[in-house]
Amino acid sequence: MWSQNVGINTVSPNVDAILDIDDSGKGFLPTRLQLIATNDEHPLSAHTEGIITYNLTESGNYSSSSVHEGLYYNDGVQWNLMGPNATSLGDIKHSLESNDHSGWYLLDGRNKSSLPNLAQNNATAIGIGLSLPNCSDSFLKTTNGTESIQTMGGTNSITLTQGNLPNITYVTTTSTNGNHSHAYTDFHNGPKSLGLATNVIALVPLISETVGTNDILPGNLYSTNNEGIHNHSVTVPSGGLGIPINAAPMHMVTNLFIYLGE
């Protein structure tokens, strides 16, 4: 028997639906299969685009093709987990959560061996080595084509060097002040006579000795050699302390998690 469209519990099925099921107290129950892997068509004879089923099995060996209990659809190539909560191994998310939860593990650099067995196996399957990446104070970026996934790099501060300064030439000199020399004053001790008495011969005149005096006498003015028209180099310390610049942009602090299954 042929019909344009079929209605169950309704005499007026939707004209755009091949099958219209109407019931306010019951749900639709799809087939229930035991899938093996997302890339394995069994128990079907082949991958068939559009087939929907509920999978009852959980993969024993975890990999990128593992299956988990839930509703799947087939796209003609593989099985795909359906629903808004469909999460794949290796998915990354930011969260205000502070601890591991529902298959999500904090990327804090801990040793992979500290995780549950399921999470360890899944971490290995997606290429994580001995430890989870430590994403503290880090930003996520995509690979530039040459970087390996999970590569850590960069810094949140930079120190300017001379090569970072603008390519500008500043030209300046001190004033020459013409052909000149420099003067300085030499203060010195002038001579002074001091009479000394003698009792050898009463008639011998006083003996005169010369001694130093205090530096209060006028000094003699001297000049350096004349070097002609010239200028002087000037050294100006920057007064800097070499403190790095914090290059982190405005941000909100969250925790970063990776999905490794539950």
Side-chain angles (χ1 to χ4, degrees):
M1 185 174 73
W2 179 88
S3 176
Q4 183 176 3
N5 50 2
V6 176
I8 298 178
N9 289 339
T10 177
V11 296
S12 302
N14 189 291
V15 295
D16 293 321
I18 191 66
L19 176 63
D20 185 352
I21 303 174
D22 183 32
D23 198 295
S24 60
K26 297 180 181 179
F28 169 71
L29 184 60
T31 62
R32 294 159 302 270
L33 301 180
Q34 293 183 343
L35 302 181
I36 299 173
T38 58
N39 57 2
D40 191 326
E41 68 275 14
H42 292 90
L44 301 184
S45 60
H47 288 294
T48 304
E49 185 176 5
I51 287 185
I52 297 175
T53 190
Y54 189 91
N55 174 49
L56 298 173
T57 59
E58 186 81 16
S59 294
N61 296 320
Y62 297 97
S63 67
S64 59
S65 60
S66 299
V67 291
H68 311 281
E69 186 172 350
L71 194 63
Y72 279 78
Y73 74 92
N74 197 294
D75 61 7
V77 177
Q78 65 177 12
W79 295 103
N80 299 276
L81 185 62
M82 297 174 60
N85 295 323
T87 305
S88 299
L89 297 180
D91 283 357
I92 298 292
K93 75 169 182 178
H94 286 274
S95 176
L96 299 182
E97 290 268 8
S98 57
N99 300 308
D100 302 337
H101 58 281
S102 304
W104 292 94
Y105 292 86
L106 183 65
L107 290 174
D108 55 2
R110 81 187 95 166
N111 195 298
K112 186 174 64 178
S113 64
S114 66
L115 304 177
N117 289 335
L118 171 63
Q120 289 185 49
N121 293 334
N122 287 342
T124 300
I126 61 176
I128 293 178
L130 296 178
S131 301
L132 296 179
N134 188 351
C135 290
S136 301
D137 297 328
S138 299
F139 297 95
L140 298 184
K141 69 178 293 291
T142 56
T143 176
N144 61 12
T146 60
E147 298 166 319
S148 299
I149 297 296
Q150 303 180 45
T151 298
M152 306 292 291
T155 178
N156 66 349
S157 64
I158 58 174
T159 301
L160 294 179
T161 65
Q162 186 174 7
N164 300 123
L165 299 178
N167 186 15
I168 300 174
T169 301
Y170 297 97
V171 179
T172 185
T173 59
T174 61
S175 60
T176 58
N177 291 327
N179 192 353
H180 67 283
S181 60
H182 301 274
Y184 70 94
T185 301
D186 178 28
F187 289 96
H188 63 284
N189 293 329
K192 180 179 180 182
S193 296
L194 177 65
L196 300 177
T198 178
N199 58 2
V200 177
I201 301 176
L203 299 179
V204 175
L206 294 175
I207 299 174
S208 179
E209 297 291 342
T210 300
V211 298
T213 62
N214 295 329
D215 288 340
I216 59 175
L217 299 178
N220 295 326
L221 185 64
Y222 296 93
S223 297
T224 61
N225 291 333
N226 191 320
E227 295 296 335
I229 297 176
H230 65 282
N231 52 34
H232 302 272
S233 61
V234 179
T235 300
V236 181
S238 69
L241 300 177
I243 300 174
I245 298 174
N246 189 336
M250 294 292 294
H251 59 275
M252 183 181 76
V253 176
T254 64
N255 284 319
L256 197 62
F257 293 85
I258 186 171
Y259 184 74
L260 297 176
E262 59 176 332

